[in-house]
Amino acid sequence: MAVNNFHGILSQCSLMEEVFTSISRCAAADVPVFITGETGTGKELAARACHLESPRREQPFIAINCANLNENLMESQLFGHRRGAFTGATSDHAGALKSAGHGTLFLDEVTTLPMPLQAKLLRAVQEREFVPLGSHTPEKFEAQFVSASSTSLSEAVSRGEFREDLYYRLNVVMFDLPPLRKRAGDVEFLARHFLRAYSEAWNKDFVNFDEDALERMRDYPWPGNVRQLENILKGVIALNYGPVVTAAMLEGPMNEAMKYQQRPAAQLGMGASLANMQQRLRKNGRRRGDQEVQPLWWVERETIEHAIKLCGGNIIKAAGLLEVSPSTIYRKREKWLQQEEQ
Ligand SMILES: Nc1ncnc2c1ncn2[C@@H]1O[C@H](COP(=O)(O)OP(=O)(O)OP(=O)(O)O)[C@@H](O)[C@H]1O
């Protein structure tokens, strides 16, 4: 099978080759592109590839993660603001639509965009103009949209969380990046690439994997996809001495990641375990007079789990609502899991 390096996306799998061909084919048409795929499958790399294949390649590529900020900050990030638009707006800010110029604007996790901003984005896509915060004058907008989501856009539309009209505007052409476990040969191919790259960069002496390590990697489901493979190997290379990666070196980090995958979201800190915690709390009787006081960690946990439930188990979206990063939620849940296991 041919080995491909498509603008930094490495693969020798025919499924990925098809994606590369489609990206190149539609590049000249210059239409809005939507990229789906599990976390870590390379959606941002694919978005950059769309840009680099297009006639806009010499122009800016601006990436915005819609899940990272609250509504006001996101509005300012996207559309910019005028000086004095809100407290702390001490100078004009251009915003992504303007900064993208005649280039590409990449909207990652676009399904998490709050409804009012979806309406403003729709106008930008339809009318090719937008109004910065604190301004009344529409400004022209020339860049092309590439959007992405690790959750289903059509499901977000059916749940009423994403505007159907915006869906059709952003999703003129769609690419689905297959998960790593479905890319024949890619686990070993990418593993060898990362081993070589980080060994060289960090002056380590790793040159190969033993058979057990290769088998373990082939059998593993890679829930975090290429990002997870890269991170696990980075950790292994940093912590160990070569020349060969053994299965024992991989075991710890692989098991750690699976602890989460094997427990459904509802079970992590919810359901039975949450009820147990509640019982323990009641038994401990945290009362003052006739008033019950809940510990701060408990309130925080309930708030986080409530947000995750509201977002149908989507941590990225919940993190957006809570105005924290998804990794903060993962870290806290890991701690609760450990507490429960004690
Ligand atoms: N095929 C690939 N070849 C080389 N590196 C890759 C490949 N796919 C992903 N990566 C690397 O994996 C990491 C994650 O990639 P990227 O951010 O593009 O994924 P993503 O799908 O956008 O993730 P998320 O959904 O979490 O935003 C990056 O470090 C990227 O360089």
Side-chain angles (χ1 to χ4, degrees):
M1 239 174 264
V3 171
N4 275 303
N5 179 347
F6 187 71
H7 302 293
I9 313 175
L10 306 175
S11 179
Q12 57 173 18
C13 163
S14 56
L15 292 177
M16 289 298 286
E17 242 176 272
E18 283 168 26
V19 175
F20 302 158
T21 309
S22 305
I23 291 178
S24 306
R25 226 178 258 161
C26 80
D30 204 19
V31 287
V33 169
F34 196 86
I35 303 166
T36 58
E38 292 178 10
T39 182
T41 45
K43 295 186 293 297
E44 178 155 356
L45 287 183
R48 282 180 193 277
C50 289
H51 173 71
L52 292 170
E53 285 288 298
S54 78
R56 290 167 274 112
R57 68 182 69 87
E58 304 291 338
Q59 305 298 321
F61 173 89
I62 304 286
I64 293 276
N65 190 326
C66 301
N68 277 353
L69 298 169
N70 70 20
E71 187 178 325
N72 289 344
L73 283 173
M74 182 53 69
E75 180 165 1
S76 155
Q77 282 279 305
L78 279 174
F79 305 108
H81 63 246
R82 290 276 160 271
R83 185 177 161 199
F86 49 84
T87 320
T90 50
S91 56
D92 288 358
H93 170 68
L97 271 77
K98 182 133 190 130
S99 305
H102 287 72
T104 302
L105 179 56
F106 173 50
L107 300 175
D108 202 1
E109 297 302 347
V110 72
T111 51
T112 62
L113 211 56
M115 273 294 174
L117 292 190
Q118 289 182 30
K120 291 186 181 167
L121 187 61
L122 179 70
R123 179 175 172 198
V125 186
Q126 273 175 334
E127 315 288 331
R128 304 302 293 177
E129 59 180 38
F130 64 96
V131 182
L133 265 166
S135 164
H136 298 288
T137 318
E139 295 188 17
K140 285 282 167 219
F141 164 68
E142 308 290 348
Q144 187 52 277
F145 285 98
V146 177
S147 319
S149 174
S150 51
T151 56
S152 160
L153 183 60
S154 54
E155 278 174 26
V157 171
S158 14
R159 283 197 301 269
E161 292 165 6
F162 200 78
R163 293 180 66 121
E164 195 172 5
D165 41 12
L166 186 55
Y167 168 87
Y168 288 116
R169 292 282 173 174
L170 293 180
N171 184 11
V172 175
V173 169
M174 183 192 265
F175 302 121
D176 184 38
L177 298 184
L180 182 57
R181 61 187 166 278
K182 291 197 179 152
R183 298 184 198 174
D186 265 7
V187 170
E188 186 172 338
F189 170 66
L190 286 166
R192 290 194 186 284
H193 162 75
F194 292 131
L195 189 74
R196 217 172 22 248
Y198 290 107
S199 284
E200 267 177 38
W202 299 340
N203 277 324
K204 291 279 194 157
D205 56 351
F206 281 104
V207 289
N208 212 345
F209 297 89
D210 73 13
E211 258 319 303
D212 287 347
L214 286 174
E215 200 179 315
R216 183 75 179 95
M217 287 193 297
R218 273 185 228 116
D219 290 346
Y220 189 74
W222 297 108
N225 293 290
V226 185
R227 178 188 288 113
Q228 186 192 11
L229 174 66
E230 182 173 4
N231 284 344
I232 285 184
L233 288 175
K234 274 163 92 171
V236 164
I237 296 162
L239 284 173
N240 295 283
Y241 294 108
V244 172
V245 175
T246 64
M249 293 176 188
L250 296 167
E251 213 51 49
M254 280 179 169
N255 288 341
E256 196 56 36
M258 285 317 284
K259 260 205 298 200
Y260 268 111
Q261 295 302 313
Q262 280 157 0
R263 291 186 181 217
Q267 208 186 318
L268 277 166
M270 298 197 73
S273 55
L274 194 65
N276 284 346
M277 286 291 220
Q278 242 155 353
Q279 231 170 24
R280 257 199 269 168
L281 210 59
R282 267 188 230 114
K283 230 167 60 194
N284 289 344
R286 294 169 200 273
R287 300 182 75 86
R288 187 161 180 92
D290 58 355
Q291 298 290 310
E292 191 169 313
V293 178
Q294 291 189 329
L296 198 54
W297 66 263
W298 176 256
V299 177
E300 181 182 69
R301 183 175 177 165
E302 275 199 321
T303 307
I304 290 176
E305 297 298 355
H306 177 63
I308 295 170
K309 205 172 165 190
L310 272 184
C311 297
N314 183 332
I315 302 236
I316 294 169
K317 210 160 175 177
L321 283 184
L322 293 163
E323 296 179 25
V324 296
S325 69
S327 58
T328 303
I329 298 188
Y330 284 117
R331 214 177 37 248
K332 287 185 187 292
R333 286 184 133 195
E334 180 71 41
K335 213 169 102 195
W336 300 330
L337 206 64
Q338 283 162 1
Q339 281 171 350
E340 281 171 27
E341 279 167 356
Q342 277 163 12

